[in-house]
Amino acid sequence: MKILLTTLNSKFIHSNLAVKYMHAMIRDRVDSVVEEFTINEDIEEILSRIMQGGYDMVAFSCYIWNIERTMKLAENIKKISPQTMILLGGPEVTYDADVVIKKNPFVDFVIAGEGEKAISDLADIMLQAEDSAGEISRAFGENSPYLEPLMNITNLYTAFAPCDMDFESRSLVITDLSIIPPVYLETKKQEIENKIVYYETSRGCTFSCAYCLSSTTKGVRFFDYDRVKAELTHLVSLGARQIKFVDRTFNSDESKALDMISFLMSLDDGSINFHFEITAHLLQRPVLDLIKTARRGLFQFEIGVQSTNDATLREVRRANRFEELSHNVLEIKSYGNVHQHLDLIAGLPYEDLQRFRKSFNDVFSLKPDALQLGFLKILKGSPIEKTVENHGYSYRSYPPYEVLKNSYMSYADIDHLRAVENVLDRFYNTGRFRYSIEYLYDAVYCGRGYDLFEDLSAIIKDNKINIVRKEEEFRAMKLLGLSRSECDCMNTDFYVELLRLDYMNMGRNPSLPAFLASKNAREGESRLREFIFEFTRDQQNLVELGFAEDVHYKDAYKKINWSIFEYDMVQYISEIKKSGKTDIVKVVNVLIVNYDSGKDHNGDYRMLRRAYEI
Ligand code: SF4
């Protein structure tokens, strides 16, 4: 018997943990293979590759992003090879498993909830069936002795027997996680190269947010600490670059989080990054003090805020304490070593556009490294699904089930927010406009981050700017700054120089658009070239700029960029990094950027300034 465990990830860089667990449960007795695809691959190509495997069963891990393509693949596999069993599992089929079976005659099995035990028991039954009947599908006919064992697998639904057991009475979780073998102890370097590695130390969540499927199970279960340590040690020794923990709240148990963070710090090889979802208001002094001492870039936190409106949070049963959360986020920000990514959800109950604006402003005022604005999804099986009538929800009936409107936001409001989200993502979360946005916010939009992105979105729309091109993004940002030139704190000349700095900071040889160029450079271009030529002939300069001592000046010349500035940007940047407070010093200088240096954890290339006379 040969089984394929597969899924379609949303990007090449992603990988799937579930199929690895399933494989670990059956690999000792079943010829089983894990193969992961992406939703961007040609579906015919995927079908061809699966069919070449000659599998007796193909098991798919199903999510919002892959369910449509997965169903097409499964249907075609069954048409080509009716004897091949099709098994589906994952959150997208868990909460209506019986309907999935009834509506899709090509599906033989659906596992609801955590599937490791179920697939293991199913594999045992299939091995017996194969022994007795030769071809597995034939063994499951009417009056088959295998039907009763199949029906006894608590969270398995099958097309071969009636699914009369009600959903609530089925146990969807594995109480004792020690039955699941480790999945990464024998991993090879090439299996994780250029991939994000997903890892979990625990399952379940202590909270019960109404829009989240994790709220449907109770309590948190932990994997054995020694096993976790051994796997993580192996992964880091292989050179993993990023390990993302899928634990629902990494710090739900303070003392375990303290131990784990301390252990992860001991694994630091200078370039690994660990990403967690944390509940920021729960962080206590010992964890904060430890985090403070971590290498810059070692940790990355994702923090769900979702809303700052009390009525909203109460209705969705979300236990945020925004004041404590803000305090901790700002404290961690002051350490300057952890990337913090905060989340908001639009479309929650009791939050109209005006109130959402406040949530946005509250969160943006913390100046997170990224702010993700998501739209509420009414997920199958989530508690909020039962309240759609109370709040007038209309939502897409197909993945990702996002809200179209509710009693508080019209479709036009949601559509408007989508435009704001688009510019937030492109202009803020990419970090491309780090210095110019921060300046604009402090000088003009303080406390009104939402307005900044709303105004930018309006400028893009009114001027029909095609922001697919980077130069056009910068043009939109320049127009936004100029439109605010009358504000007392706004220094437009300085702002345009910050835009130029952001542009130069994007990478090697970006040809500067004319609307960002220094007028002084235009007037004295050949003199400036001469200046740079002289600069590169001095080896001390090149070393100071981050080149090796033996670099040839001609090679260095090809790897740098420069521009005349009327303000001291190096001083400005270092002040921001140190204290967040900045003085603007007017002094004509040439800023020289070394693209060969790589970016530091702040996202800056190595740069130097030299006095220059115009
Ligand atoms: S949203 Fe986060 S905190 Fe809330 S139930 Fe889900 S996993 Fe837990």
Side-chain angles (χ1 to χ4, degrees), residues 205 207-209 211-212 214-215 248-249 318:
C205 183
F207 299 104
S208 49
C209 309
Y211 48 81
C212 175
S214 294
S215 68
R248 306 312 295 157
T249 298
R318 187 167 174 88

Side-chain angles (χ1 to χ4, degrees), residues 414-431:
I414 301 253
D415 202 37
H416 181 73
L417 279 178
R418 278 196 187 282
V420 173
E421 184 261 341
N422 187 26
V423 293
L424 174 74
D425 219 35
R426 293 187 69 97
F427 287 78
Y428 187 70
N429 292 341
T430 56

Side-chain angles (χ1 to χ4, degrees), residues 463-474:
N463 293 280
K464 300 189 172 51
I465 296 176
N466 180 0
I467 54 170
V468 170
R469 293 179 55 220
K470 288 193 176 58
E471 301 88 76
E472 291 298 277
E473 288 181 333
F474 278 82

Side-chain angles (χ1 to χ4, degrees), residues 380-430:
K380 283 184 275 182
S382 63
I384 208 167
E385 193 189 15
K386 298 192 177 84
T387 68
V388 291
E389 282 183 14
N390 306 352
H391 298 293
Y393 275 111
S394 294
Y395 61 99
R396 289 170 176 80
S397 56
Y398 49 87
Y401 313 108
E402 277 176 347
V403 64
L404 292 162
K405 60 177 187 169
N406 62 15
S407 306
Y408 320 97
M409 283 198 200
S410 64
Y411 174 73
D413 291 339
I414 301 253
D415 202 37
H416 181 73
L417 279 178
R418 278 196 187 282
V420 173
E421 184 261 341
N422 187 26
V423 293
L424 174 74
D425 219 35
R426 293 187 69 97
F427 287 78
Y428 187 70
N429 292 341
T430 56

